[in-house]
Coordinates of all heavy atoms in Angstrom, one line a residue:
M180 N -15.7 -17.1 -5.6 CA -16.0 -16.4 -4.3 C -16.2 -15.0 -4.6 O -15.5 -14.2 -5.4 CB -14.7 -16.5 -3.5 CG -14.8 -15.9 -2.1 SD -13.4 -16.2 -1.1 CE -12.5 -14.8 -1.2
L181 N -17.3 -14.3 -4.0 CA -17.5 -13.0 -4.1 C -16.6 -12.1 -3.3 O -16.4 -12.5 -2.1 CB -19.0 -12.7 -3.7 CG -20.1 -13.2 -4.6 CD1 -21.5 -12.9 -4.0 CD2 -20.0 -12.5 -6.0
E182 N -16.2 -11.0 -3.8 CA -15.4 -10.1 -3.1 C -16.1 -8.7 -3.1 O -16.8 -8.3 -4.0 CB -14.0 -10.0 -3.8 CG -13.3 -11.2 -3.7 CD -11.8 -11.0 -4.2 OE1 -11.5 -10.0 -4.7 OE2 -11.0 -11.9 -4.3
F183 N -15.9 -8.2 -1.8 CA -16.4 -6.8 -1.7 C -15.2 -5.7 -1.3 O -15.2 -5.5 -0.2 CB -17.5 -6.8 -0.6 CG -18.7 -7.7 -1.1 CD1 -18.7 -9.0 -0.6 CD2 -19.7 -7.2 -2.0 CE1 -19.8 -9.8 -0.9 CE2 -20.7 -8.1 -2.4 CZ -20.6 -9.4 -1.8
P184 N -14.3 -5.5 -2.2 CA -13.2 -4.7 -1.8 C -13.5 -3.4 -1.2 O -12.8 -2.9 -0.3 CB -12.4 -4.5 -3.1 CG -13.4 -4.9 -4.2 CD -14.4 -5.8 -3.7
D185 N -14.5 -2.7 -1.7 CA -14.8 -1.3 -1.2 C -15.3 -1.4 0.2 O -14.9 -0.6 1.0 CB -15.9 -0.6 -2.0 CG -15.6 -0.4 -3.5 OD1 -14.3 0.0 -3.6 OD2 -16.3 -0.4 -4.3
A186 N -16.1 -2.5 0.6 CA -16.5 -2.6 2.1 C -15.4 -2.9 2.9 O -15.3 -2.5 4.0 CB -17.6 -3.7 2.0
F187 N -14.5 -3.9 2.5 CA -13.3 -4.2 3.2 C -12.5 -2.9 3.5 O -12.1 -2.7 4.7 CB -12.6 -5.2 2.4 CG -11.3 -5.7 3.0 CD1 -11.3 -6.5 4.1 CD2 -10.1 -5.3 2.6 CE1 -10.2 -7.1 4.6 CE2 -8.9 -5.8 3.1 CZ -9.0 -6.7 4.2
L188 N -12.2 -2.2 2.5 CA -11.3 -1.0 2.6 C -12.0 0.1 3.4 O -11.2 0.8 4.2 CB -11.0 -0.5 1.2 CG -10.0 -1.4 0.5 CD1 -9.8 -0.9 -1.0 CD2 -8.6 -1.6 1.1
A189 N -13.3 0.3 3.4 CA -14.1 1.2 4.1 C -13.9 0.9 5.6 O -13.7 1.9 6.3 CB -15.5 1.3 3.7
D190 N -14.0 -0.3 6.0 CA -13.9 -0.8 7.4 C -12.5 -0.7 8.0 O -12.3 -0.4 9.0 CB -14.4 -2.2 7.6 CG -15.9 -2.4 7.4 OD1 -16.6 -1.4 7.5 OD2 -16.3 -3.7 7.2
F191 N -11.5 -1.0 7.2 CA -10.1 -1.1 7.8 C -9.1 -0.1 7.1 O -8.0 0.0 7.5 CB -9.6 -2.4 7.5 CG -10.4 -3.5 8.2 CD1 -11.1 -4.2 7.4 CD2 -10.4 -3.7 9.5 CE1 -12.0 -5.3 7.9 CE2 -11.2 -4.7 10.1 CZ -12.0 -5.6 9.2
G192 N -9.5 0.8 6.1 CA -8.6 1.6 5.4 C -8.4 3.0 5.9 O -9.1 3.4 6.8
V193 N -7.3 3.5 5.5 CA -6.9 4.9 5.7 C -6.9 5.6 4.3 O -6.9 5.0 3.3 CB -5.4 5.1 6.4 CG1 -5.5 4.4 7.7 CG2 -4.5 4.5 5.5
V194 N -7.0 6.9 4.3 CA -7.0 7.8 3.0 C -5.6 7.7 2.4 O -4.6 7.9 3.0 CB -7.5 9.1 3.3 CG1 -7.4 9.9 1.9 CG2 -8.9 9.2 3.8
V195 N -5.7 7.3 1.1 CA -4.5 7.2 0.2 C -4.7 8.2 -0.9 O -5.8 8.2 -1.7 CB -4.2 5.8 -0.5 CG1 -2.9 5.8 -1.3 CG2 -4.1 4.8 0.7
T196 N -3.7 9.1 -1.2 CA -3.7 10.1 -2.3 C -2.5 9.9 -3.2 O -1.4 9.9 -2.8 CB -3.9 11.5 -1.7 OG1 -4.9 11.7 -0.8 CG2 -4.0 12.5 -2.8
D197 N -2.8 9.8 -4.5 CA -1.9 9.8 -5.5 C -2.2 10.9 -6.5 O -3.2 10.6 -7.4 CB -1.8 8.4 -6.1 CG -0.8 8.4 -7.4 OD1 0.1 9.1 -7.4 OD2 -1.1 7.6 -8.4
G198 N -1.7 12.0 -6.5 CA -1.9 13.1 -7.4 C -3.5 13.5 -7.2 O -3.9 13.9 -6.0
S199 N -4.3 13.4 -8.1 CA -5.7 13.7 -8.0 C -6.5 12.6 -7.5 O -7.8 12.7 -7.4 CB -6.3 14.4 -9.3 OG -6.2 13.4 -10.3
T200 N -6.0 11.4 -7.5 CA -6.7 10.2 -7.1 C -6.7 9.9 -5.6 O -5.5 10.0 -5.0 CB -6.0 8.9 -7.7 OG1 -6.1 9.2 -9.2 CG2 -6.9 7.8 -7.4
T201 N -7.9 9.8 -5.0 CA -7.9 9.6 -3.5 C -8.9 8.3 -3.3 O -9.9 8.2 -4.0 CB -8.5 10.6 -2.8 OG1 -7.7 11.8 -2.9 CG2 -8.7 10.4 -1.2
A202 N -8.4 7.3 -2.6 CA -9.1 6.2 -2.3 C -8.6 5.7 -1.0 O -7.8 6.2 -0.3 CB -8.9 5.2 -3.3
K203 N -9.2 4.5 -0.4 CA -8.8 3.9 0.9 C -7.8 2.8 0.5 O -7.8 2.1 -0.5 CB -10.0 3.4 1.4 CG -11.0 4.4 2.0 CD -10.6 4.8 3.4 CE -11.7 5.7 3.9 NZ -12.1 5.4 5.3
G204 N -6.8 2.6 1.5 CA -5.8 1.5 1.5 C -5.6 1.0 2.9 O -5.9 1.8 3.8
I205 N -5.0 -0.1 3.0 CA -4.7 -0.6 4.3 C -3.2 -0.8 4.4 O -2.5 -1.4 3.7 CB -5.3 -2.0 4.6 CG1 -6.8 -1.9 4.7 CG2 -4.8 -2.7 6.0 CD1 -7.6 -3.3 4.5
L206 N -2.6 0.0 5.5 CA -1.2 0.1 5.5 C -0.6 -0.8 6.7 O -1.1 -0.8 7.8 CB -0.8 1.6 5.9 CG 0.6 1.9 6.2 CD1 1.5 1.7 4.8 CD2 0.9 3.3 6.7
D207 N 0.4 -1.6 6.3 CA 0.9 -2.5 7.2 C 2.4 -2.1 7.4 O 3.0 -1.7 6.4 CB 0.8 -3.9 6.7 CG -0.6 -4.5 6.7 OD1 -1.2 -4.4 7.8 OD2 -0.9 -5.2 5.7
M208 N 2.9 -2.2 8.6 CA 4.3 -1.9 8.9 C 4.9 -3.2 9.5 O 4.9 -3.2 10.8 CB 4.3 -0.7 9.8 CG 3.8 0.5 9.2 SD 3.9 2.0 10.2 CE 3.2 1.6 11.7
P209 N 5.3 -4.2 8.6 CA 5.9 -5.2 9.2 C 7.1 -5.0 10.2 O 7.6 -3.9 10.0 CB 6.4 -6.1 8.0 CG 5.4 -5.5 6.9 CD 5.3 -4.1 7.3
S210 N 7.3 -6.0 11.0 CA 8.4 -5.9 12.0 C 9.7 -5.2 11.5 O 10.0 -5.6 10.3 CB 8.8 -7.3 12.6 OG 7.6 -7.9 13.2
E211 N 10.4 -4.4 12.3 CA 11.6 -3.9 11.7 C 12.6 -4.9 11.8 O 12.6 -5.9 12.5 CB 12.1 -2.8 12.8 CG 11.0 -1.6 12.9 CD 11.2 -0.6 14.1 OE1 11.8 -1.1 15.0 OE2 10.9 0.4 13.9
V212 N 13.6 -4.8 10.7 CA 14.7 -5.8 10.6 C 15.7 -5.4 11.6 O 16.2 -4.2 11.6 CB 15.2 -5.8 9.2 CG1 16.4 -6.7 9.0 CG2 14.1 -6.1 8.2
I213 N 16.3 -6.3 12.5 CA 17.2 -5.9 13.4 C 18.4 -6.7 13.3 O 18.3 -8.0 13.0 CB 16.6 -6.1 14.9 CG1 15.4 -5.2 15.0 CG2 17.8 -5.9 15.8 CD1 14.9 -4.9 16.3
A214 N 19.7 -6.1 13.3 CA 20.9 -6.8 13.1 C 21.8 -6.3 14.1 O 22.1 -5.2 14.1 CB 21.4 -6.7 11.7
G215 N 22.4 -7.1 14.9 CA 23.2 -6.7 16.0 C 22.6 -5.7 16.9 O 23.3 -4.8 17.4
G216 N 21.3 -5.7 17.1 CA 20.6 -4.8 18.0 C 20.2 -3.4 17.3 O 19.8 -2.6 18.0
M217 N 20.6 -3.3 16.1 CA 20.3 -2.1 15.3 C 19.2 -2.2 14.4 O 19.0 -3.3 13.7 CB 21.6 -1.6 14.6 CG 22.8 -1.3 15.6 SD 24.1 -0.7 14.6 CE 23.5 0.9 14.0
V218 N 18.4 -1.1 14.3 CA 17.2 -1.2 13.3 C 17.8 -0.9 11.9 O 18.4 0.2 11.8 CB 16.2 -0.1 13.7 CG1 15.0 0.0 12.7 CG2 15.5 -0.4 15.1
I219 N 17.6 -1.7 11.0 CA 18.1 -1.4 9.6 C 17.0 -0.8 8.7 O 17.2 0.3 8.1 CB 18.5 -2.7 9.0 CG1 19.7 -3.3 9.7 CG2 18.8 -2.5 7.5 CD1 20.1 -4.6 9.2
T220 N 15.7 -1.2 8.9 CA 14.7 -0.8 8.1 C 13.3 -1.1 8.6 O 13.2 -2.1 9.4 CB 14.8 -1.1 6.6 OG1 13.8 -0.5 5.8 CG2 14.5 -2.7 6.4
T221 N 12.2 -0.3 8.3 CA 10.9 -0.8 8.5 C 10.3 -0.9 7.1 O 10.4 0.0 6.3 CB 10.1 0.2 9.2 OG1 10.8 0.4 10.6 CG2 8.8 -0.2 9.6
D222 N 9.6 -2.0 6.9 CA 9.0 -2.2 5.6 C 7.5 -1.8 5.8 O 6.8 -1.9 6.8 CB 8.9 -3.7 5.3 CG 10.2 -4.4 4.9 OD1 11.0 -3.6 4.4 OD2 10.4 -5.4 5.2
Y223 N 7.1 -1.1 4.6 CA 5.7 -0.6 4.6 C 5.0 -1.2 3.5 O 5.5 -1.2 2.3 CB 5.7 0.9 4.4 CG 6.3 1.6 5.6 CD1 7.6 2.1 5.5 CD2 5.6 2.0 6.8 CE1 8.4 2.8 6.5 CE2 6.2 2.7 7.7 CZ 7.5 3.1 7.7 OH 8.1 3.6 8.7
A224 N 3.9 -1.8 3.7 CA 3.1 -2.6 2.6 C 1.8 -1.9 2.7 O 1.0 -2.0 3.6 CB 3.1 -4.0 2.8
L225 N 1.2 -1.5 1.5 CA 0.0 -0.9 1.4 C -1.0 -1.7 0.5 O -0.6 -2.0 -0.6 CB 0.0 0.5 0.7 CG -1.2 1.3 0.6 CD1 -1.9 1.7 1.9 CD2 -0.9 2.5 -0.3
T226 N -2.1 -2.1 1.0 CA -3.1 -2.9 0.2 C -4.1 -1.9 -0.4 O -4.8 -1.3 0.5 CB -3.7 -4.0 1.1 OG1 -2.7 -4.9 1.6 CG2 -4.7 -4.8 0.2
V227 N -4.3 -2.0 -1.7 CA -5.2 -1.0 -2.4 C -6.0 -1.9 -3.4 O -5.6 -2.9 -3.8 CB -4.4 0.2 -3.0 CG1 -3.7 1.1 -2.1 CG2 -3.7 -0.4 -4.2
K228 N -7.2 -1.2 -3.7 CA -8.0 -1.9 -4.7 C -7.2 -1.5 -6.1 O -6.9 -0.4 -6.4 CB -9.3 -1.2 -4.7 CG -10.4 -1.8 -5.7 CD -11.6 -1.2 -5.4 CE -12.6 -1.3 -6.7 NZ -13.8 -0.6 -6.4
S229 N -6.9 -2.5 -6.9 CA -6.1 -2.2 -8.1 C -6.6 -1.3 -8.9 O -5.8 -0.4 -9.6 CB -5.8 -3.5 -8.8 OG -5.0 -4.5 -8.0
S230 N -7.9 -1.3 -9.2 CA -8.6 -0.4 -10.1 C -8.6 1.0 -9.7 O -8.7 2.0 -10.5 CB -10.0 -0.9 -10.4 OG -10.7 -0.8 -9.2
A231 N -8.4 1.3 -8.3 CA -8.3 2.7 -7.8 C -6.9 3.4 -8.3 O -6.8 4.6 -8.4 CB -8.5 2.7 -6.5
F232 N -5.9 2.6 -8.3 CA -4.6 3.0 -8.7 C -3.9 2.3 -9.7 O -2.9 1.6 -9.8 CB -3.8 3.1 -7.4 CG -4.1 3.9 -6.3 CD1 -4.9 3.2 -5.3 CD2 -4.0 5.2 -6.3 CE1 -5.3 4.0 -4.2 CE2 -4.4 6.0 -5.2 CZ -5.1 5.4 -4.2
P233 N -4.6 2.3 -10.9 CA -4.0 1.5 -12.2 C -2.6 1.8 -12.7 O -2.0 0.9 -13.3 CB -5.2 1.5 -13.1 CG -5.7 2.9 -12.8 CD -5.6 3.0 -11.4
T234 N -2.2 2.9 -12.5 CA -0.9 3.4 -13.2 C 0.2 3.6 -12.2 O 1.2 4.1 -12.5 CB -1.2 4.7 -14.0 OG1 -1.5 5.7 -13.0 CG2 -2.2 4.5 -15.1
L235 N 0.0 3.2 -10.9 CA 1.0 3.4 -9.9 C 2.3 2.6 -10.2 O 2.1 1.5 -10.7 CB 0.4 2.9 -8.5 CG 0.9 3.3 -7.3 CD1 0.9 4.9 -7.2 CD2 0.2 2.7 -6.0
K236 N 3.4 3.3 -9.9 CA 4.6 2.7 -10.4 C 5.8 3.2 -9.5 O 5.7 4.0 -8.8 CB 5.0 3.0 -11.8 CG 5.3 4.4 -12.2 CD 5.2 4.7 -13.6 CE 5.5 6.1 -14.0 NZ 4.6 7.1 -13.3
Y237 N 6.9 2.6 -9.7 CA 8.1 2.8 -8.9 C 8.5 4.3 -8.9 O 8.4 5.1 -9.9 CB 9.4 2.1 -9.6 CG 10.7 2.3 -9.1 CD1 11.0 1.8 -7.9 CD2 11.7 3.1 -9.6 CE1 12.2 2.1 -7.2 CE2 12.8 3.3 -9.2 CZ 13.2 2.7 -7.8 OH 14.4 3.0 -7.3
E238 N 8.7 4.8 -7.7 CA 9.2 6.2 -7.4 C 8.0 7.2 -7.6 O 8.3 8.3 -7.3 CB 10.3 6.7 -8.3 CG 11.5 5.9 -8.0 CD 12.8 6.6 -8.6 OE1 12.6 7.4 -9.6 OE2 13.9 6.4 -8.1
D239 N 6.8 6.7 -7.6 CA 5.5 7.6 -7.6 C 5.5 8.0 -6.0 O 5.8 7.2 -5.2 CB 4.3 6.9 -7.9 CG 4.1 6.9 -9.5 OD1 4.9 7.4 -10.2 OD2 3.1 6.2 -9.8
S240 N 5.0 9.3 -5.8 CA 4.8 9.7 -4.5 C 3.4 9.5 -4.0 O 2.4 9.6 -4.9 CB 5.0 11.2 -4.4 OG 6.4 11.4 -4.6
L241 N 3.1 9.1 -2.9 CA 1.9 8.8 -2.2 C 1.7 9.5 -0.9 O 2.8 9.6 -0.2 CB 1.5 7.3 -2.0 CG 1.4 6.5 -3.2 CD1 1.2 4.9 -2.6 CD2 0.2 6.8 -4.0
T242 N 0.6 9.9 -0.5 CA 0.2 10.3 1.0 C -0.7 9.2 1.5 O -1.7 8.9 0.8 CB -0.4 11.7 0.9 OG1 0.3 12.6 0.4 CG2 -0.7 12.1 2.4
V243 N -0.3 8.6 2.6 CA -1.1 7.6 3.3 C -1.3 8.0 4.7 O -0.3 8.2 5.5 CB -0.2 6.2 3.2 CG1 -1.1 5.0 3.8 CG2 0.2 5.8 1.6
G244 N -2.6 8.2 4.9 CA -2.9 8.6 6.3 C -2.2 9.8 6.7 O -2.0 10.1 7.8
G245 N -2.1 10.8 5.7 CA -1.3 12.1 6.1 C 0.1 12.0 6.0 O 0.7 13.0 6.1
A246 N 0.8 10.9 5.9 CA 2.3 10.8 5.7 C 2.7 10.6 4.3 O 2.1 10.0 3.5 CB 2.7 9.7 6.8
A247 N 3.9 11.0 3.9 CA 4.5 11.0 2.6 C 5.2 9.6 2.6 O 6.0 9.2 3.4 CB 5.4 12.1 2.3
Y248 N 5.2 9.0 1.3 CA 5.7 7.8 1.0 C 6.2 7.6 -0.4 O 5.5 8.5 -1.2 CB 4.9 6.4 1.3 CG 4.5 6.2 2.7 CD1 3.4 6.9 3.2 CD2 5.1 5.4 3.4 CE1 3.1 6.7 4.5 CE2 5.0 5.1 4.7 CZ 3.8 5.8 5.3 OH 3.6 5.6 6.6
V249 N 7.1 6.8 -0.8 CA 7.5 6.7 -2.2 C 7.4 5.2 -2.5 O 7.7 4.3 -1.8 CB 8.9 7.2 -2.5 CG1 9.4 6.8 -3.9 CG2 9.1 8.6 -2.2
V250 N 6.8 5.0 -3.7 CA 6.5 3.5 -4.2 C 7.9 2.8 -4.5 O 8.6 3.5 -5.2 CB 5.6 3.5 -5.3 CG1 5.5 2.0 -5.9 CG2 4.2 4.1 -5.1
R251 N 8.1 1.8 -4.0 CA 9.3 0.8 -4.3 C 8.8 -0.2 -5.2 O 9.6 -0.6 -6.1 CB 9.8 0.2 -3.0 CG 10.5 1.1 -2.1 CD 11.1 0.4 -1.1 NE 10.2 -0.3 -0.3 CZ 10.5 -1.6 0.3 NH1 11.7 -2.2 0.2 NH2 9.5 -2.2 1.0
E252 N 7.5 -0.8 -5.1 CA 7.2 -1.9 -6.0 C 5.7 -2.0 -5.9 O 5.1 -1.7 -4.8 CB 7.9 -3.2 -5.6 CG 7.6 -4.4 -6.4 CD 8.4 -5.6 -5.9 OE1 9.0 -5.6 -4.9 OE2 8.4 -6.6 -6.7
V253 N 5.0 -2.5 -7.0 CA 3.6 -2.9 -7.0 C 3.4 -4.3 -7.4 O 3.9 -4.7 -8.5 CB 2.8 -1.8 -7.8 CG1 1.4 -2.2 -7.9 CG2 3.1 -0.3 -7.4
K254 N 2.7 -5.0 -6.7 CA 2.4 -6.4 -7.1 C 0.9 -6.7 -7.0 O 0.3 -6.5 -6.0 CB 3.1 -7.4 -6.2 CG 4.6 -7.4 -6.4 CD 5.2 -8.5 -5.5 CE 6.7 -8.6 -5.8 NZ 7.3 -9.8 -5.1
L255 N 0.4 -7.2 -8.1 CA -1.1 -7.6 -8.1 C -1.2 -8.9 -7.1 O -0.3 -9.7 -7.2 CB -1.5 -7.9 -9.5 CG -1.7 -7.0 -10.5 CD1 -2.0 -7.5 -11.8 CD2 -2.9 -5.9 -10.0
Q256 N -2.2 -9.0 -6.5 CA -2.6 -10.1 -5.6 C -3.6 -11.0 -6.1 O -4.6 -10.6 -6.7 CB -3.0 -9.6 -4.2 CG -1.8 -8.9 -3.5 CD -0.7 -9.8 -3.3 OE1 -0.6 -10.7 -2.6 NE2 0.5 -9.3 -4.0
D257 N -3.3 -12.3 -6.1 CA -4.4 -13.3 -6.5 C -5.1 -13.0 -7.7 O -4.4 -13.1 -8.9 CB -5.5 -13.5 -5.3 CG -4.7 -14.0 -4.0 OD1 -3.8 -14.8 -4.2 OD2 -5.2 -13.4 -3.1
D258 N -6.4 -12.6 -7.7 CA -7.1 -12.4 -8.9 C -6.9 -11.0 -9.4 O -7.7 -10.6 -10.4 CB -8.6 -12.8 -8.7 CG -9.2 -11.8 -7.7 OD1 -8.6 -11.1 -7.0 OD2 -10.4 -12.1 -7.4
G259 N -6.2 -10.3 -8.8 CA -5.9 -8.9 -9.2 C -6.8 -7.8 -8.8 O -6.6 -6.6 -9.1
V260 N -7.8 -8.1 -7.9 CA -8.7 -7.1 -7.3 C -7.9 -6.1 -6.4 O -8.1 -5.1 -6.4 CB -9.9 -7.8 -6.5 CG1 -10.7 -6.7 -5.8 CG2 -10.7 -8.5 -7.6
F261 N -6.9 -6.8 -5.6 CA -6.1 -6.0 -4.8 C -4.7 -6.0 -5.4 O -4.2 -6.9 -6.0 CB -6.1 -6.5 -3.3 CG -7.4 -6.3 -2.7 CD1 -8.2 -7.3 -2.4 CD2 -7.7 -4.9 -2.1 CE1 -9.4 -7.2 -1.8 CE2 -8.9 -4.9 -1.5 CZ -9.9 -5.9 -1.2
S262 N -4.0 -4.9 -4.9 CA -2.4 -4.8 -5.2 C -1.8 -4.5 -3.8 O -2.4 -3.9 -3.0 CB -2.1 -3.7 -6.2 OG -2.6 -4.0 -7.4
I263 N -0.5 -5.1 -3.6 CA 0.2 -4.7 -2.6 C 1.3 -3.7 -3.1 O 1.9 -4.0 -4.0 CB 1.0 -5.9 -2.0 CG1 0.0 -7.0 -1.6 CG2 1.8 -5.4 -0.8 CD1 -0.9 -6.6 -0.4
V264 N 1.2 -2.6 -2.4 CA 2.3 -1.4 -2.9 C 3.4 -1.4 -1.7 O 2.9 -1.1 -0.6 CB 1.6 -0.1 -3.1 CG1 2.6 0.9 -3.4 CG2 0.5 -0.2 -4.0
Y265 N 4.6 -1.7 -2.0 CA 5.7 -1.6 -1.1 C 6.3 -0.2 -1.2 O 6.5 0.4 -2.2 CB 6.8 -2.7 -1.5 CG 6.2 -4.0 -1.3 CD1 5.7 -4.7 -2.3 CD2 6.1 -4.7 0.0 CE1 5.2 -6.0 -2.4 CE2 5.6 -5.9 0.0 CZ 5.1 -6.6 -1.1 OH 4.5 -7.9 -0.9
L266 N 6.4 0.4 0.0 CA 6.7 1.8 0.2 C 7.9 2.1 1.0 O 8.3 1.3 1.7 CB 5.5 2.6 0.8 CG 4.1 2.4 0.2 CD1 3.0 2.9 1.2 CD2 4.0 3.1 -1.1
S267 N 8.5 3.2 0.8 CA 9.6 3.8 1.7 C 8.9 5.1 2.2 O 8.3 5.9 1.6 CB 10.9 4.0 0.9 OG 11.5 2.9 0.5
K268 N 9.1 5.4 3.5 CA 8.6 6.6 4.0 C 9.6 7.6 3.7 O 10.9 7.5 3.8 CB 8.6 6.4 5.6 CG 7.6 7.4 6.2 CD 7.3 7.0 7.7 CE 6.3 8.1 8.1 NZ 5.8 7.7 9.5
V269 N 9.1 8.8 3.4 CA 9.8 10.0 3.1 C 10.2 10.9 4.3 O 9.5 11.0 5.1 CB 9.2 11.0 2.1 CG1 10.0 12.2 1.7 CG2 8.7 10.2 0.8

């Protein structure tokens, strides 16, 4: 199957900056976890082209759509073209 990651990210992405590297990514904010009516956390998952951020690792700082985040985990997806970056908002 042919993939066009740049076209996909251009259509749906926001600007992601890691130091001097800038590319597009798609930020998802899955439902907040609620226990006893209280919000415990909001998960942030960023889909990026793996080759755009090949050295991204735990505790790296990112700016996503103008907001500051810290990397919690990076996981390659399927064939490795995309990675999911799990974030905490600063």
